[in-house]
Amino acid sequence: MSDDKGEQLVGIVLVSHSAQVAASVAELAQGLAGGGTAVPVAPAGGTEGGELGTSAELIAAAAASVDRGAGVAVLTDLGSAVLTVKALLAEGDELPADTHLVDAPFVEGAVAAVVTASTGADLAAVEAAAAEAYSYRKV
């Protein structure tokens, strides 16, 4: 699957227990990416019924929607989001090929992942940039 220009980009899925948090972090990350290539980003927050929680179905749909052939980086917020993504990865056929769970802080990692992906970087570089966000010091 490719975008309009035929360019393969890493897709980003943001999994939160809250649909609003996932959508807001996606909006923030895309906004801070500036004028680079528009990266496919999909929030997967909450449950199908709009409650707090995680949904394997929403995560799988989000991953499919951002798959452009260069891999999919999945960032999560808390415990059961991580477990749900790990379960999907273990099943082996629910997520696009080259879908990776990225060990990174949710907000800072999402921004780093989207900014890096917007440069056309590969999945390994996107993962590394997101993970590096753990070292961002605020004080």
Side-chain angles (χ1 to χ4, degrees), residues 14-129:
L14 302 175
V15 181
S16 173
H17 285 70
S18 164
Q20 293 84 0
V21 169
S24 294
V25 172
E27 180 182 0
L28 174 68
Q30 288 174 310
L32 292 177
T37 303
V39 173
V41 179
T47 66
E48 291 89 348
E51 301 295 319
L52 292 176
T54 56
S55 162
E57 291 79 15
L58 291 177
I59 295 166
S65 77
V66 300
D67 181 20
R68 301 292 185 275
V72 176
V74 181
L75 287 86
T76 62
D77 62 359
L78 303 168
S80 66
V82 174
L83 295 175
T84 303
V85 173
K86 284 183 175 182
L88 285 167
L89 289 167
E91 289 175 22
D93 62 351
E94 297 295 317
L95 298 173
D98 280 336
T99 297
H100 294 190
L101 174 59
V102 180
D103 184 14
F106 192 60
V107 175
E108 294 91 337
V111 171
V114 172
V115 168
T116 302
S118 74
T119 69
D122 66 10
L123 183 57
V126 170
E127 286 183 272

